[in-house]
Amino acid sequence: MFYRQPRRFDRHDDPALLAVALGATLYSPATRPALADDIAKAARRGVTSMVVCLEDAIADADLTAAEANAVAQLRLLHGRVRDGGPGGEAPLLFVRVRAAEQIGDLAARLGPALEMITGFVLPKFTAATGGAFLETLERTVERSGRRLLAMPVIESREAVFVESRVEMLQDVARLLAKHRELVLAVRLGATDLSAAFGLRRPPDLTIYDIRQVADVIADVVNILGRADGTGHIVTGPVWEYFSAGERMFKPQLRQSPFERQQAAPLRQRLISTELDGLIREVHLDKANGLTGKTVIHPSHVAAVHALSVVTHEEYLDAADVLGVTGGGAMASAYANKMNEAKPHRAWAERLMTRAQVFGVAAEGVTFVELLEAAESR
């Protein structure tokens, strides 16, 4: 299946690698009564990153109970990992807080179990609110002696409305630059961005068909995701469907790739669970400079990760680009495109990082085989 095998990684690796390794980031409410078991099960299913949510997924009246449950369950999981017993698996774990003071409070309550946490997700992030989050996280890192990373979420109305968006994002860029060592990746809150206009995308459209939100994504990548050394990894917005309803448009997966691999049942299964829409959106995420995806159901993970594997053709193109010094152009190894050493270099560097954590498919191996393999684990 692989020309280059994916490498193992853990929360202690270089943040530049971890940002790409996030893959399909699965969200789970902190109120889940068997959260430790859920996390271990997700790890066994191939989930590489997971967020325990204390914000929008939790009713205000349930917040205290949700915090207590999250602390108890993470302590339980930590004990299993420490002892090496059954149920001791865990992906990269993050906690989505709703207020800055929760960061220090939760860290103190977790005690030694804080080492299970890779970082915190910071909601409704703006320059006005974000400073308190990042400064609190910085103090928590100093007190605990542990590396903790931040994933700010761009989802506020200041980011949506055209008259405030550019200035707001520029202010955020300056704030993140001051705390660059803390920032793992920037996330997009597509649900909140859509809500500013009373919108919700249907499952047979992608977020890029919702023009107001697509414009926000373009500006976030433009200002916060530049490939000149000043930008950050920007992750793909949430896909929130996991079962089929009535369809208005025809399926978005061509039949021929599945027929060639005798995988027509797989195609039908993807269509019946609305995953054809997810697959199309992930393709558009990648084309628009986004990495990984926020998901709300384990059934999404295999598709996102199969699409994250670098193709044999992409790898050879990137290797050719990086193997040239001084510029110039050359025909690709597959003889179907022109590779230019200077303009394609940043793309090639990013692709090689993805190749490290998700691997490179063997020649002739397609997304269909990779997805079938991922779903069978």
Side-chain angles (χ1 to χ4, degrees):
M1 295 290 289
F2 285 93
Y3 178 73
R4 292 282 185 271
Q5 289 286 336
R7 57 155 284 188
R8 297 182 65 84
F9 62 89
D10 61 35
R11 62 186 179 277
H12 305 295
D13 272 304
D14 183 348
L17 185 76
L18 294 184
V20 176
L22 291 168
T25 301
L26 179 65
Y27 271 58
S28 178
T31 48
R32 296 278 295 181
L35 182 61
D37 294 333
D38 294 341
I39 292 170
K41 186 183 300 183
R44 292 193 294 273
R45 293 188 63 171
V47 173
T48 54
S49 63
M50 194 165 175
V51 174
V52 177
C53 187
L54 288 164
E55 205 233 355
D56 284 347
I58 305 300
D60 294 345
D62 296 332
L63 179 59
T64 299
E67 289 179 337
N69 185 65
V71 169
Q73 294 290 321
L74 289 170
R75 283 178 171 175
L76 175 61
L77 182 64
H78 176 250
R80 292 174 178 175
V81 171
R82 181 192 59 213
D83 298 339
E89 302 90 347
L92 303 175
L93 288 175
F94 301 83
V95 178
R96 178 178 170 120
V97 294
R98 59 171 68 187
E101 56 268 22
Q102 282 180 300
I103 295 173
D105 178 61
L106 290 169
R109 292 162 69 181
L110 283 168
L114 182 62
E115 69 173 348
M116 296 299 303
I117 302 300
T118 300
F120 292 86
V121 176
L122 314 179
K124 314 292 190 293
F125 195 90
T126 67
T129 63
F133 279 113
L134 293 171
E135 289 164 9
T136 302
L137 181 58
E138 202 166 48
R139 290 194 297 270
T140 303
V141 168
E142 291 172 358
R143 282 198 301 267
S144 67
R146 301 193 184 279
R147 187 182 74 180
L148 297 166
L149 300 169
M151 291 201 290
V153 187
I154 304 301
E155 57 186 346
S156 69
R157 297 200 170 201
E158 295 96 322
V160 175
F161 299 141
V162 66
E163 68 272 17
S164 57
R165 181 162 66 241
V166 171
E167 182 179 359
M168 175 267 189
L169 291 174
Q170 289 174 334
D171 289 342
V172 167
R174 285 188 284 269
L175 176 61
L176 296 184
K178 293 179 182 177
H179 300 273
R180 188 171 185 87
E181 73 285 354
L182 292 177
V183 181
L184 178 62
V186 174
R187 306 200 74 86
L188 288 160
T191 302
D192 281 48
L193 296 175
S194 300
F197 300 99
L199 301 175
R200 184 177 190 178
R201 77 184 183 280
D204 44 7
L205 295 178
T206 74
I207 200 66
Y208 299 95
D209 296 307
I210 311 301
R211 289 302 314 158
Q212 298 92 327
V213 180
D215 288 347
V216 176
I217 294 173
D219 284 345
V220 169
V221 174
N222 192 322
I223 296 172
L224 301 179
R226 298 179 184 182
D228 60 0
T230 67
H232 307 271
I233 290 292
V234 181
T235 65
V238 66
W239 182 259
E240 57 187 10
Y241 293 96
F242 52 86
S243 62
E246 184 178 356
R247 301 185 72 99
M248 182 174 294
F249 301 109
K250 64 183 181 180
Q252 300 179 60
L253 291 173
R254 292 174 57 237
Q255 293 184 26
S256 53
F258 293 86
E259 290 174 346
R260 284 196 296 269
Q261 304 301 329
Q262 298 182 332
L266 172 62
R267 178 178 181 271
Q268 187 55 47
R269 189 164 68 251
L270 295 173
I271 292 168
S272 68
T273 54
E274 304 288 5
L275 289 181
D276 58 322
L278 167 64
I279 290 166
R280 176 167 175 76
E281 188 165 290
V282 172
H283 271 294
L284 290 170
D285 286 341
K286 291 162 63 178
N288 284 277
L290 306 184
T291 301
K293 194 77 174 160
T294 298
V295 300
I296 51 85
H297 195 273
S299 63
H300 300 159
V301 173
V304 175
H305 287 180
L307 286 165
S308 298
V309 175
V310 173
T311 68
H312 185 258
E313 180 177 348
E314 288 174 324
Y315 180 79
L316 293 187
D317 286 339
D320 283 348
V321 167
L322 296 176
V324 172
T325 57
M330 69 222 74
S332 70
Y334 275 65
N336 60 0
K337 70 179 77 64
M338 186 65 71
N339 291 326
E340 295 190 60
K342 288 184 178 179
H344 291 143
R345 190 170 192 85
W347 164 83
E349 290 171 346
R350 287 189 170 190
L351 184 132
M352 287 302 196
T353 302
R354 179 156 55 91
Q356 287 187 61
V357 292
F358 289 103
V360 180
E363 185 175 5
V365 171
T366 70
F367 162 77
V368 175
E369 292 107 313
L370 292 167
L371 180 55
E372 281 193 307
E375 286 202 332
S376 67
R377 59 176 295 162

